[in-house]
Every structure is written in structure tokens, then in C-alpha cells.
Amino acid sequence: MHYKTIVLSDIHLGSNASKAKEALTFLKHHTCDTLILNGDIIDGWQLKRGAEWKKAHSNFFKKVLQMSVKDKTDIIYIRGNHDDFLDAVLPFKLGRFSIRKLYIHKGVQRNYLVTHGDMFDSITTKMRWLSKLGDVGYTLLLWINHQYNKKRISKGLPYDSISQRIKARVKSVVSYISDFEIELSKFARIKGCTGVICGHIHQPAQKIINGVLYLNSGDWVESLTALVEHADGNWEICYYHDWILQFETAQNQFVSASDLVLS
Ligand SMILES: [Mn+2]
């Protein structure tokens, strides 16, 4: 499937929780004119803490570079808070690959301000140490979730994300998310845009806020979502689990159909 634009964010490569293989599989089966990597693609914080950089993490980057060289895809990498080590090289441009803090994406119906979104996270900007503590807590939560689901899957039960349930239930988190969405929409207007594309809070979304189209690409830790722009300028949130199910079903049908022909 070919799209005008694909947006991925919050892959957190270098952390154990990163679903790098799934993100790579998604890119292998989709092409686009522009690929936006909207922050926290590499998790420098986890790497600093000694997390292991895996082959799958390198493979993801190999694919991205291959897209820029072979397929002539423009790659726009927006720095997030977990990949803030990139500040040292900003702004960076090499061929079709650039790294920056902000980007204006020209859409069909409107222009979009593209930013990771961490500058509107008051916890991150005002109290860095507290946010790092939160990062440890989050890692713990993901670990518990992993253990819990390993048991569930071994019993033949479907996957059930605890961390997502907890986050959805905590009221302060809910109001925090809506504040984040409103602030980003306001910022887009200040920058002369009527659309905003962000990530950071790991909550995929597509909604209108005060006339601004708010798009959040989610993450590749829990949600496994990509934001895709069709040729007509309409956007869609693509859920990896739904897509892979359809994809594999279609492939199996193809295999069984060719079996029929051969037999
Ligand atoms: Mn972030």
C-alpha cells in the first residue's frame, strides 16, 4: 500500500519494550512519499541506563535509510525528549534525510505543525528528574504487563494491556492528556497551521479541537499505531494488530487458492 505520508513516533529503539520488529514489518509492506519519524524513535535515556541495542533496532534504521536512498522517500526525523542527544547535531540534513525540532507539513486541505510534543509536557520541562522517575515507573509497569500477558498467552487467553487500562482509569492522566491536546492545537494556530501532528503521550488520536485537526501517531510500545495520509489528504490511524491479521489472512487465502490451482 502506498501513502502520501506515513508518521511513526515513540518507537523507543534501544529499550526492551520497543516493538522494533513490528515497526519494521509495517515499513516493509508500506511505501510513502514522506516518512515522518516524530520523536522518541531512539530511547537515549534507556541506553544511558545500560539497555541493550538489539539487531532489530539497527534493522529498523537500515530500512529507513534504504527508503531514503532506494525509494527516494523524504525522511523527516523530529527529535523527541528521549532522543534529545540529537540536539548536538541539529539541524541536520543529508540528501533526503533531515533531523529537526519542528516541521510544517503541507497537506491537501491544511498545513500541519509537526512536533513530538514534549515541550507541552509540564512535567518533562519543569521537573526533569521527576519525569525520569516516571520513566522508571513506566518501565516497571511495562515489565509487569509483559509477565502478566506471557501467562495469559500460555493459557491461551488474548493479550490484555494492563498499563493501558491503568492509564485510561487514572483521572489526572485523562485531564493531562486533554490539556496536552488543547495546548498543542493552540500552538499550531500560533504557527499559522490548522493541523497538528504529534506523539509523546502514546495515545493515538484523530480529532478536531477548536477547528484544528489534532493527529497523534501513538507509539510502538503499546498501541503499535501509524498515522497515514492518503493521496486525497485524509488521514487514518493504522493499528498494526488489525493490519497484520488482515495481511496474514489475505496471504493464507492466496496460498490456499494457489494450492487449489496446483492440485
Ligand atoms: Mn516523548
Side-chain angles (χ1 to χ4, degrees), residues 159-173:
Y159 183 84
D160 171 25
S161 174
I162 308 183
S163 43
Q164 230 151 19
R165 264 192 294 152
I166 292 172
K167 276 202 289 182
R169 273 184 203 168
V170 177
K171 220 181 165 189
S172 64
V173 171

Side-chain angles (χ1 to χ4, degrees), residues 10 12 40 80-82 116 118 200 202:
D10 302 85
H12 290 270
D40 286 4
N81 50 317
H82 284 258
H116 179 62
D118 53 295
H200 186 55
H202 297 200

